Amino acid sequence: MFKIVGKRGQLAVMIIVALVIVAGVLIYFLVKNNAKIESVPAEFAPIYSYYDSCIEEQTREAIDIAGTQGGHIYIDSYDPASDYAPFSSQLNFLGFPVPYWYYVSGNGIIKEQVPTKNSMQEEIARYINENIEKCNFDQFYQQGYDIAIGEVNSEVKIDDNKVSATLNGAISVSKGEGSARKSVHKIEVNSKLGKFYILAKEIYDKQKIMPAIIPTNNSLSFNLLSFNYKLSS
């Protein structure tokens, strides 16, 4: 009986060892293939460097718009002033439409337009996706390069003093017999957008809790995020 158990135990060990070896081989080839796909030969490096700088430029533009428009890039609606509310839903701040975070609509209804960090990240990512086509590769086309860009999808993370963007989308480059392909592009932009958002949100929350000290009526509503962001620019 003990011999049978021993044989079964040996068989189980052999099966486990075999599975580990197979898994190791698969992982090796997967890593090796990914490394080949993402490697960029020196002759194509300037093209990918330009693409990264273009992504960074679009990210900076999105951050600037969000910073000057109270955390919003895309403003969907506008409530005009009326006899019930002498102020509209937006403030014209140095030529930028800045939505009030708190205001009274034309029909006397209290409304809020407070962005969240998540909504800001999504709008910045959307801006990058919609404007990445502005990248101009003409100088490289003139040098005989073939460049193909696939569909892009961006992810953005806002920290206190920086904004990180990851653009997922393959860009393939070829010239003669050489070629390269890269599908993930990451950049970071130094920005205090996240820090100022936290500050503005804290003051806004206190404004709602202590209206006697910090009035919340729409005539005194302001957007500290835009104010501070413009001062820091």
Side-chain angles (χ1 to χ4, degrees):
M1 177 178 179
F2 292 102
K3 290 183 179 180
I4 295 175
V5 173
K7 289 182 179 180
R8 288 179 177 177
Q10 289 177 357
L11 180 61
V13 171
M14 292 177 64
I15 293 174
I16 292 173
V17 171
L19 289 174
V20 170
I21 293 174
V22 171
V25 172
L26 289 174
I27 291 173
Y28 170 78
F29 282 107
L30 285 173
V31 171
K32 185 177 179 180
N33 289 336
N34 286 335
K36 285 182 177 180
I37 292 174
E38 297 296 332
S39 64
V40 177
E43 62 177 311
F44 301 118
I47 299 175
Y48 289 98
S49 178
Y50 166 74
Y51 192 53
D52 287 345
S53 66
C54 185
I55 296 171
E56 180 178 340
E57 181 181 354
Q58 302 310 319
T59 304
R60 289 186 183 277
E61 286 184 6
I63 293 170
D64 287 342
I65 296 173
T68 53
Q69 295 186 172
H72 299 275
I73 294 178
Y74 302 95
I75 302 173
D76 298 326
S77 61
Y78 173 79
D79 286 339
S82 71
D83 293 337
Y84 299 98
F87 294 87
S88 65
S89 61
Q90 300 173 12
L91 168 69
N92 188 327
F93 185 71
L94 301 179
F96 293 92
V98 182
Y100 285 119
W101 283 10
Y102 175 102
Y103 74 101
V104 179
S105 66
N107 57 358
I109 299 175
I110 294 176
K111 292 186 177 181
E112 291 182 285
Q113 302 179 107
V114 184
T116 63
K117 182 177 286 189
N118 186 57
S119 70
M120 292 167 61
Q121 291 174 163
E122 290 178 350
E123 291 199 11
I124 292 175
R126 174 184 168 186
Y127 185 91
I128 296 171
N129 293 340
E130 293 179 352
N131 290 273
I132 198 64
E133 62 184 21
K134 292 181 180 178
C135 298
N136 189 333
F137 292 93
D138 285 351
Q139 58 177 316
F140 300 109
Y141 291 136
Q142 293 171 5
Q143 297 175 39
Y145 290 99
D146 290 323
I147 303 171
I149 302 176
E151 184 177 349
V152 300
N153 180 43
S154 301
E155 298 175 1
V156 171
K157 184 176 185 296
I158 299 175
D159 293 312
D160 288 355
N161 295 301
K162 70 177 181 180
V163 175
S164 305
T166 300
L167 187 146
N168 300 297
I171 171 171
S172 302
V173 183
S174 63
K175 183 179 181 181
E177 296 182 355
S179 64
R181 183 175 182 271
K182 189 176 180 181
S183 56
V184 180
H185 316 269
K186 298 182 179 182
I187 62 96
E188 285 186 358
V189 175
N190 293 328
S191 170
K192 294 182 179 179
L193 179 65
K195 180 179 180 180
F196 288 145
Y197 170 75
I198 293 173
L199 175 63
K201 187 65 166 57
E202 288 177 351
I203 293 179
Y204 176 78
D205 290 339
K206 289 180 181 179
Q207 184 184 29
K208 292 179 64 179
I209 296 172
M210 300 181 294
I213 300 175
I214 309 176
T216 57
N217 63 75
N218 65 329
S219 63
L220 292 179
S221 292
F222 62 95
N223 202 314
L224 193 66
L225 174 59
S226 299
F227 181 70
N228 277 284
Y229 190 84
K230 290 302 292 182
L231 287 180
S232 68
S233 300

